[in-house]
Amino acid sequence: MSPSPAGGPAAPAIRTVLGDISPADLGICDAHDHLFLRSPQLPGQELDDAGAAAAELSAFRAAGGAAVIQWTPYGMGRGAAELPRLARESGVRIVAATGLHQAAHYTPEVLERVRADLAGLFVSELTEGIGGTGIRAGMIKVAGGFHGLDRHARHTMAAAAEAQRATGAVIGVHLELGTGAPDVLDLLCGEWGVPPDRVILGHLNRSPDLVVHRKAAEAGAYLAFDGPSRAHHATDWRLPDALAALADAGHGERILLGGDTTTAGARSVNGGPGMPHLLGRHRERLELALGAGLVTRFLTANPARAFGADWPRAPYTDRGPGRAPTA
């Protein structure tokens, strides 16, 4: 990436675990997935095997993939120290996340430890590095609830908004079963002033409400349809119609696609569809319905634009009483 002119604004860049790259260099991107993930909500299905992660990346690369955005946030076993090696060995660009999921994914002790300076934690991980690794996150992950936002979600989103203003990073939002998009946009963009194009609404395939989809796209947010590996979702068959409706309304530039592999059993190396499915049967199906050119845009130009940010050169100083520990 070319340096910006002296004194001028920085050129947009995507912050990978191996450093910043030009958005033009991102390539075919799985815009929402997980190489590592741990939660008490998924006992016995942890993604904690670096060898399996390497095999999954290799299979994704063989299918034509070039980049993976890992949405695993703070305290959920991100495997940050492993990510640079996996990126180098696989040739797949990896973006890590900071942020915080729903309260149910953490112990009360963890939440108490980070609550006082959550924005400082997010900014530190985006600009300095995760823990002592020096590996910087490239996005913020937060989460809503089922058709609503509880106190934890509002607190976390307020911190995410502060971190977004300080860094320019995009905020990716887990929508529980695809619901609650209007409430999220009202809070992040209406109350907290986050630009809509700095918000990615995740899991919209799980709630095929075409009216909500269109309104979110009209607002300027990115819409992530991310979970073809979740075969138990009966709404998957409606995905081509939902994407076609958005494209026909002129919102094709707002669509992102991802795999969202969240359990060991869902990995392709364990017999599931995993990351390669996104670029295999899933892509083929969408291309039959929408055309190859449009689907390629969903996988390349759109994520390149969504995850690019004008990262700050000056350090963030507006912090609370102490920086929260990292994990």
Side-chain angles (χ1 to χ4, degrees):
M1 183 177 63
S2 299
S4 59
I14 294 173
R15 182 150 288 176
T16 80
V17 298
L18 294 179
D20 293 355
I21 64 169
S22 167
D25 294 332
L26 185 66
I28 293 175
C29 179
D30 178 344
H32 179 170
D33 225 311
H34 302 274
L35 292 163
F36 296 96
L37 181 70
R38 181 181 64 244
S39 169
Q41 301 296 302
L42 297 169
Q45 285 293 324
E46 294 81 4
L47 298 178
D48 57 6
D49 184 336
E56 196 74 1
L57 282 172
S58 178
F60 177 70
R61 182 65 172 168
V68 172
I69 315 297
Q70 173 168 267
W71 283 42
T72 310
Y74 173 90
M76 294 187 68
R78 287 171 287 187
E82 296 283 353
L83 296 179
R85 177 183 62 82
L86 291 172
R88 283 192 295 267
E89 292 179 355
S90 67
V92 175
R93 298 176 178 88
I94 299 173
V95 174
T98 186
L100 210 65
H101 211 312
Q102 297 163 335
H105 294 283
Y106 304 94
T107 65
E109 293 76 18
V110 169
L111 294 178
E112 180 64 27
R113 188 168 71 238
V114 301
R115 195 177 301 276
D117 188 21
L118 205 51
L121 168 62
F122 297 167
V123 173
S124 175
E125 294 197 334
L126 290 161
T127 61
E128 300 172 23
I130 297 170
T133 65
I135 299 158
R136 295 179 296 183
M139 67 165 293
I140 308 165
K141 155 78 172 281
V142 295
F146 183 58
H147 286 292
L149 301 174
D150 61 14
R151 182 179 179 183
H152 171 84
R154 290 178 178 274
H155 178 76
T156 303
M157 289 185 189
E162 182 178 339
Q164 194 286 320
R165 288 192 296 272
T167 65
V170 72
I171 301 173
V173 185
H174 166 99
L175 298 178
E176 187 67 20
L177 296 179
T179 67
D183 292 332
V184 168
L185 292 177
D186 284 350
L187 182 65
L188 283 176
C189 304
E191 185 171 339
W192 291 107
V194 175
D197 67 352
R198 296 288 76 204
V199 176
I200 300 171
L201 300 168
H203 306 319
L204 286 168
N205 48 300
R206 302 181 191 178
S207 180
D209 187 328
L210 303 189
V211 174
V212 169
H213 295 178
R214 188 181 71 248
K215 296 281 284 184
E218 288 172 351
Y222 285 95
L223 283 62
F225 296 83
D226 44 22
S229 65
R230 307 290 288 274
H232 62 281
H233 288 133
T235 56
D236 281 357
W237 65 271
R238 296 192 62 181
L239 181 61
D241 289 342
L243 299 185
L246 285 167
D248 289 346
H251 302 304
E253 78 284 355
R254 310 243 61 88
I255 295 170
L256 305 174
L257 300 176
D260 192 30
T261 306
T262 59
T263 63
R267 277 182 160 155
S268 65
V269 295
N270 293 328
M275 290 181 180
H277 179 64
L278 177 68
L279 303 181
R281 295 299 185 191
H282 189 62
R283 182 178 186 176
E284 292 171 8
R285 176 171 174 249
L286 294 181
E287 287 181 345
L288 286 172
L290 304 169
L294 188 57
V295 177
T296 296
R297 192 198 315 172
F298 299 163
L299 292 165
T300 55
N302 292 359
R305 196 170 55 252
F307 292 99
D310 297 326
W311 298 100
R313 301 187 211 180
Y316 172 70
T317 57
D318 185 18
R319 293 191 177 155
R323 186 181 307 168
T326 55

